[in-house]
Structure formats: C-alpha cells, structure tokens
Amino acid sequence: MVSLICTLEDHRDDVNWCAFSPTCLATCSLDKTIRLYSTDDFSELPFSPLNGHGYAVHCCCFSASGELLASCSTDGTTVLWSMDTGEIVAVLEHHGRSPVRICTFSPNSSYLVSGASDGTVMLWDVESKTLRRSGSVKDSSVVACSFSPCGQMFVTGSTYGDIRVWDLEMNHLLAVKNAHDLGVTCCHFSPQPVNDSLPVQSRLASCGQDNMLKIWTVTLHGESGCKLELMYTLRGQSAPVLSCMFSSDGQLLASGSVDKTVTIYDANQGILLYTLTQHERYVTACAFAPNLPLIATGSMDKTVNVWRVEDGASPCGKQGKSLPVEPMSHSHVESVGLRNKVIRKIEELKMESVAGIPDEFLCPITREVMRDPVIASDGYSYEREAIESWISTKKRSSPMTNLPLKSTVMTPNRTLKMAISRWRSSK
C-alpha cells in the first residue's frame, strides 16, 4: 500500500527533479535553487537552499556515498556541491555554455555524465573535476541519461526519440531509433543487474512523449557490443510520461505524467499496482530512496510529495487495477494527432500564472519576465538574448515543441512588450 506522509512546498516554481541519498532528499526547480531535506523528519537542512545557478535547474543527483551532489542548469554548467557544508566544489562548463538538461553519476561515482541541449554528451572525471571524453548526438537535445549497474556503459535519450548506448570511451555501442515517438523524456537503469555473469544483463526503463513507459533488457557482450530488447510497453497513463525510476531493489518502477498522475508498477511482471492522484499539475519527477520505503514525486504545482510504499500502510492514492500490457517486440505506435495534443497542453500551461506573474510574460527558456520579447518561427515568444543563445549553440529545434525551427528570423513582439510594461507600471 502507499500513503502520503508529507508535502514540501518551499519551491517558488516548477519542480524539475528529485533525488535521494541515504540521509537526504534533494529537489531542484525552475526557481534556480536546489533544496535539501533530512530523511529523518523532512526538515530543511541549515544550508538549504543552494543558490549557485543563474537559470533554471533541470536535474540533480547524489554520488553513491551521498558526499557530493551534482546539479545542472540552463546556465550551461554542472555544479558539484559538498553535502557537508553546502559549498560549491567545482563548476563544470559545457562547450558553448549550452543548457545542460541531465546529469548522473556512475555507480562508483568515479564519473559524471552530463547531456546538453546542443546534443553534446560529456564524461567527467569526478576526482580531478576534468573532462575525460565527449561525444554528440546530431540534431537533438540530450535530456535523459543513466549508468548501467555494472558501470561499464551508460544510456542517453534524446528529444528525437532515440536511445543510445555508450561505453566509457564514448563509443556508440548501439542506437535505437524512434524508441519513443516525439522524444524520450527520461530513462533509468535498475540498480540491480539481471545477472552478474557473462553476458551481463540489466533492465532499463524509458518514457516519452508518446504516453508510454517501456522496460528493456540490455545485454552487454564484452567488447562485441550490446543488445537492447523490449520486454514491456506500459500504458497506464494517458498523456506524455515525463519521469521514471526503479526502486533500489529493482522490484518496483514509478513514473510521472502530464496527466498529473504517478504510477507504480511491479517491474518484473509489468503490472500496474497503484495510481496516485494528489498532484494538481504535471508530474515531472519521481525518485525512490535507496534505504527506506519512500518515494518522492515533484510537480509543476511547485510541490514535492513524499510517499511511504509498504504493506500495511494506509493508501492515500487511488489503488490501481492490474492492466493488460504488451510483452511485445514489434508493435506500431499510432501517433496521429498526438503532436497537436502536446502543443495544446503547452498552450494551456502557458495561460496559467506563476507566483502572481502572468506566465505569458515569462521567457520559456529563462523563466524570467521578458524585457525584449521576440516571436520565433515556432510561434512562441522568447527573450531575444535567450533564444539567440539557444540558436547559436546550433540547436535548431523549438525549445517548446522540439520540432525543427523553419527559420531563425525573430520578430519583435511589441504588443507583448507593451503589456509587460503596463503590468510593471501597475505593480
């Protein structure tokens, strides 16, 4: 059973990610901060919040020991923080200062991988705080990444829907095209391998804009490469799935969706166990604690819910029924009309207000009130400097829809600029 034990309401904007260490919960947000809570009573730590990023923080993750926290941001950096003091240990800058969307430690914390909007993937040596290798994914943003439990490979997911497997020399071991129609949003390896003998097998979860959560088997054949096989396609949510994570023992799999729900599955059988409905807006993050029966979920409603997952607890969410799933390897995903649905949902989101500021006054990239708004060829308005920086990093797709931009010409949005000016004068 699942019970809601607390709701954290300290962030002033969308929550983008949640991560647990053995003693701490970290959350990060569009409000540029990372907040830290003790898992004893979920009180905020004395040095929280962490303020070191200039723009939105997209992801945060702990090293295996919990001594380091990594966070990445639209400001083009990945920051390493000491969890003893809350001080910055190192600032790792991406080439071209492209927005960094994802970061993750290797299982032994020797390496850190970060992926950016310009398609670059960087492998950092944690001890020396230096770049070890780099690679790239053509014409796409890297928004998802996870290390295998053996630490010999990692997987990235892109906004074009591809899943790629890399080794530690940044060689491509495998690429699965269109793993998720309209783009991958998150991926996560089960911490527990299927087996420790050769060939090494692990399970990978991935989710995307196609409303689907998938479980794969990844087989590593030494130096001869690897193989990715689809085990289950899970259809328990009715809108794009934004986050997914296995429990530390690999028995459960959670996901969060644009439909405002959190789903929890039996990862071995692909059976839906629970659907949790307490969030008021899109669920963007989910994380299992490594040593406690807890799961944290973050949302665009600015809150983080912490749940206890165990037998005998009082259920606080709606308990779901077992749903039929497809143990398929060859299926066609019908996506006619889905793209328009995603765009409509984005438009609905933009019409809502954030912290008393009309959302249409905020640049979608920086989440700050625009001074010089311009209209891009995707029809959306951005701060001129922000969208020009986005395009200058050779990113040719829309920040809002991930579709290719037909033109890089910007048109001043004088009507919006006047509306912002009037709003400022009325404050």
Side-chain angles (χ1 to χ4, degrees), residues 92-105:
L92 311 176
E93 294 187 2
H94 249 257
H95 295 328
R97 297 298 293 267
S98 178
V100 186
R101 299 296 182 182
I102 188 71
C103 60
T104 186
F105 282 101

Side-chain angles (χ1 to χ4, degrees), residues 89-388:
V89 174
V91 178
L92 311 176
E93 294 187 2
H94 249 257
H95 295 328
R97 297 298 293 267
S98 178
V100 186
R101 299 296 182 182
I102 188 71
C103 60
T104 186
F105 282 101
S106 63
N108 64 4
S109 302
S110 297
Y111 303 111
L112 177 76
V113 168
S114 57
S117 293
D118 62 358
T120 58
V121 182
M122 294 192 173
L123 180 66
W124 305 89
D125 184 282
V126 174
E127 183 177 0
S128 64
K129 316 297 188 298
T130 57
L131 181 63
R132 186 174 185 269
R133 293 281 192 279
S134 65
S136 64
V137 177
K138 186 178 179 181
D139 298 327
S140 186
S141 292
V142 177
V143 294
C145 186
S146 181
F147 262 97
S148 68
C150 67
Q152 300 176 48
M153 60 182 173
F154 62 91
V155 165
T156 59
S158 78
T159 53
Y160 273 22
D162 299 349
I163 290 177
R164 294 178 183 270
V165 185
W166 311 68
D167 65 17
L168 296 181
E169 299 302 316
M170 300 299 291
N171 298 312
H172 281 155
L173 301 180
L174 181 69
V176 179
K177 302 287 187 179
N178 301 315
H180 287 276
D181 189 29
L182 296 179
V184 177
T185 53
C186 188
C187 64
H188 186 243
F189 269 105
S190 170
Q192 302 299 324
V194 176
N195 64 58
D196 294 318
S197 59
L198 292 177
V200 176
Q201 285 191 326
S202 305
R203 283 184 301 169
L204 174 75
S206 66
C207 56
Q209 299 282 3
D210 55 6
N211 302 8
M212 296 181 189
L213 176 65
K214 297 182 178 183
I215 301 177
W216 313 77
T217 297
V218 186
T219 306
L220 181 62
H221 297 278
E223 297 181 356
S224 62
C226 69
K227 184 178 181 181
L228 196 67
E229 295 180 288
L230 183 60
M231 294 175 59
Y232 298 110
T233 296
L234 310 176
R235 304 172 186 272
Q237 288 163 312
S238 61
V241 185
L242 304 180
S243 59
C244 61
M245 179 168 278
F246 283 99
S247 59
S248 59
D249 61 5
Q251 299 302 302
L252 298 176
L253 176 63
S255 64
S257 171
V258 167
D259 68 10
K260 308 176 187 178
T261 68
V262 178
T263 55
I264 300 177
Y265 295 88
D266 179 316
N268 295 316
Q269 302 180 64
I271 296 174
L272 179 60
L273 302 176
Y274 303 101
T275 299
L276 312 178
T277 59
Q278 271 66 24
H279 283 293
E280 296 179 358
R281 293 180 66 189
Y282 304 176
V283 181
T284 54
C286 56
F288 282 96
N291 56 342
L292 296 168
L294 300 176
I295 180 173
T297 58
S299 168
M300 286 185 178
D301 63 14
K302 310 176 196 175
T303 70
V304 176
N305 284 335
V306 181
W307 312 81
R308 186 174 299 278
V309 185
E310 61 182 357
D311 292 337
S314 174
C316 195
K318 183 181 77 174
Q319 183 168 351
K321 299 183 294 183
S322 298
L323 293 183
V325 297
E326 296 181 55
M328 60 184 185
S329 297
H330 306 285
S331 68
H332 174 68
V333 178
E334 182 59 53
S335 61
V336 177
L338 180 57
R339 189 180 303 275
N340 288 335
K341 182 172 71 173
V342 172
I343 294 173
R344 286 198 302 271
K345 287 184 178 294
I346 292 172
E347 289 288 357
E348 291 169 5
L349 173 63
K350 290 185 69 182
M351 295 304 293
E352 299 180 19
S353 62
V354 177
I357 303 174
D359 201 74
E360 61 266 30
F361 293 176
L362 301 175
C363 172
I365 299 173
T366 67
R367 298 300 293 174
E368 296 181 343
V369 178
M370 289 179 277
R371 301 183 303 275
D372 186 13
V374 294
I375 304 171
S377 61
D378 60 0
Y380 292 95
S381 293
Y382 305 91
E383 178 64 40
R384 181 186 294 275
E385 182 179 354
I387 189 64
E388 288 180 348

Side-chain angles (χ1 to χ4, degrees), residues 60-74:
C60 59
C61 58
F62 285 101
S63 61
S65 65
E67 294 178 356
L68 288 177
L69 176 76
S71 61
C72 60
S73 166
T74 301

